Every structure is written in C-alpha cells, then in structure tokens.
C-alpha cells in the first residue's frame, strides 16, 4: 500500500518570503502522479500543482514549484513570494497510474502567512 | 458548470440512525471516491468506484456502504451511525486521461 508522509504539522512564513513544505512517499509503483492540494478555511480542496513521475523536470505553477526526487521518494512544495491568501492546510497526495487511480493523502501541513 | 455536488452540507445524526450522503458529478468522470477527514488529519479513502456497477474498499470502509448504478451518482450509506463516524466527508471524481481529482464541498457529519 502507498503511504504519504508530511513531517511538518505546522509552519509559518512572513509575507513575501519563501517557504518549503516537505512530503515523502512510499510505493513500489513505477508510474504514478503526485499532487499538492490546498484547503483554505472554506474547506474546498484546490489543486495547486501536479507532477508526473515519468517527467524529470520539476513542475511549476506561477509562485508554486516542486522539488521531485524520485529515487529518494521526496516531493516538496516551494511557495515563493508568500501571500496572505496562501494561508491554508496543504496536502501532499499520491495517485497510482493504473486502472483504479487510487489516491492517497498525507496528514497535511498547516501554513500560516504572517503580515 | 456544477462539477461535484454533495448534499447535505451539514448533518447531525443520533447514534444508531442511518443516512445517505449524496454525490453527483456532471463531468462524465469514470472514477469516483469517498474520503473522510478527521480533525487535523488528512483524507482517508473509504470507498472508490472505477465505473458504474464497480466499487471497491479503500483504507477505512467499515460502517459504510456504497453503490454506483450510474456514472453520475455515487451515494455513501451509513447504516448504524456511531460517534467515531463524526467527520467531514468528501466526494471526488477523476478521469483516467486527466490525473486530477475534483472535490465536492464536503459534508460535515456529527453523530451524537
């Protein structure tokens, strides 16, 4: 079974600075996807960024980028120029690329951006 | 453009009561999922479905049942509610060709 571990329950960052959230995973699969989801107080789950395991290039979406280390099974999220609206729970997730698309989540990191 | 719709948004149940959480998606996704999120925790997979008529257990299926009679609908049934089922429940859907799960707004369930 796949497991996803987020070792930082809470983090904080000053507005406009950079913060990195950590995620490790365990799998025997070769083909899979990794995700970072954001959950603001509204409770809605919002996709932040996605990485395909077969791609060596790290995914980037505006101020959000990842450091994907496949051999180390590590998938960290870097948020640059942090904004107050980035305050939320962040979940790392793993999805098998098979016919069941099973998706598993980490326990989450609560990020607070301070003014 | 509704996406994934869950009803109700909030519910209080007494111990031993039954209820069905409804989930509908209008994106013609073949995969659908039910997750529960306990306070301060990540999402845990209860059940999932890869298409109409096909369902399978996730990590925490005990106390729940599902059915998938159509592509659009994936209801979650609680037969005998217990305090341990107090949680926020999320329905999600995805498509094989698009590796991303789309989530509903969640249902906050309290069992007293």
């Amino acid at each position: 079974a796949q497991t996803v571990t987020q070792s930082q329950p809470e983090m904080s960052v000053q507005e406009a600075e950079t913060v990195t959230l950590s995620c490790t995973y365990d799998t025997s699969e070769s083909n899979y996807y990794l995700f970072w989801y954001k959950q603001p107080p509204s409770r809605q789950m919002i996709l932040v960024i996605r990485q395909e395991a077969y791609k060596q290039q790290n995914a980037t979406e505006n101020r959000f980028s990842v450091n994907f280390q496949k051999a180390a099974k590590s998938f960290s999220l870097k948020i640059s120029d942090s904004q107050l609206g980035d305050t939320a729970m962040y979940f790392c997730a793993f999805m098998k690329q098979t016919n069941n698309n099973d998706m598993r989540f980490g326990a989450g990191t609560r990020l607070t951006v301070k003014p | 453009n509704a996406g994934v719709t869950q009803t109700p948004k909030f519910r209080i149940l007494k111990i031993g009561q039954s209820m069905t959480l409804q989930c509908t998606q209008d994106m013609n996704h073949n995969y659908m999922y039910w997750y529960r999120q306990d306070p301060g925790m990540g999402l845990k997979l209860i059940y999932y479905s890869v298409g109409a008529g096909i369902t399978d257990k996730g990590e925490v299926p005990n106390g729940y049942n599902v059915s998938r009679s159509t592509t659009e609908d994936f209801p979650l049934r609680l037969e005998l509610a217990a305090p341990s089922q107090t949680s926020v429940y999320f329905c999600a859907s995805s498509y094989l060709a698009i590796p991303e799960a789309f989530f509903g707004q969640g249902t906050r369930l309290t069992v007293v």
Side-chain angles (χ1 to χ4, degrees), chain A:
Chain A
Q2 287 66 233
T3 58
V4 179
T5 303
Q6 292 178 250
S7 58
Q8 305 151 314
E10 293 189 25
M11 293 192 71
S12 63
V13 63
Q14 291 296 132
E15 194 175 8
E17 295 192 345
T18 296
V19 64
T20 299
L21 308 183
S22 301
C23 173
T24 59
Y25 58 96
D26 186 25
T27 185
S28 58
E29 301 285 327
S30 299
N31 299 316
Y32 52 87
Y33 302 98
L34 295 163
F35 307 85
W36 279 98
Y37 277 88
K38 170 184 177 181
Q39 187 181 44
S42 67
R43 210 167 67 195
Q44 180 68 49
M45 295 288 284
I46 302 165
L47 178 66
V48 174
I49 200 164
R50 177 181 73 223
Q51 175 78 43
E52 289 85 349
Y54 64 86
K55 290 186 177 178
Q56 292 188 338
Q57 187 173 4
N58 290 325
T60 298
E61 286 289 340
N62 301 314
R63 298 183 294 107
F64 299 88
S65 61
V66 298
N67 183 4
F68 174 46
Q69 302 289 329
K70 190 173 185 179
K73 297 181 181 176
S74 170
F75 183 61
S76 60
L77 174 69
K78 185 172 81 171
I79 305 174
S80 304
D81 186 24
S82 297
Q83 300 176 0
L84 296 178
D86 295 334
T87 293
M89 284 288 289
Y90 286 82
F91 293 100
C92 179
F94 171 101
M95 177 188 272
K96 289 196 295 185
Q97 190 185 351
T98 62
N99 61 359
N100 67 0
N101 267 22
D102 190 1
M103 184 180 245
R104 302 297 174 105
F105 287 80
T109 297
R110 183 176 301 280
L111 177 67
T112 301
V113 180
K114 299 179 178 179

Side-chain angles (χ1 to χ4, degrees), chain B:
Chain B
N1 194 10
V4 180
T5 303
Q6 289 183 237
T7 55
K9 288 188 169 49
F10 303 93
R11 183 72 185 268
I12 298 175
L13 275 184
K14 293 185 178 179
I15 294 171
Q17 285 186 323
S18 301
M19 77 163 293
T20 299
L21 280 66
Q22 302 292 343
C23 176
T24 299
Q25 54 94 6
D26 62 358
M27 297 173 282
N28 202 31
H29 285 170
N30 41 353
Y31 300 101
M32 295 188 75
Y33 316 83
W34 274 106
Y35 292 91
R36 60 176 287 172
Q37 183 181 25
D38 298 328
M41 303 292 288
L43 280 70
K44 295 199 172 183
L45 185 64
I46 304 171
Y47 271 94
Y48 66 95
S49 169
V50 301
I54 306 170
T55 62
D56 209 345
K57 296 177 180 178
E59 297 175 83
V60 290
N62 292 343
Y64 307 95
N65 280 300
V66 294
S67 60
R68 183 95 182 270
S69 56
T70 66
T71 299
E72 296 78 19
D73 300 309
F74 190 42
L76 177 72
R77 178 84 178 160
L78 284 72
E79 290 293 348
L80 292 170
S84 61
Q85 294 176 305
T86 293
S87 189
V88 178
Y89 291 83
F90 286 96
C91 180
S93 69
S94 69
Y95 188 62
L96 179 60
I98 305 174
E100 173 186 346
F102 294 81
F103 286 82
Q105 292 271 35
T107 296
R108 183 177 295 279
L109 176 66
T110 303
V111 182
V112 296

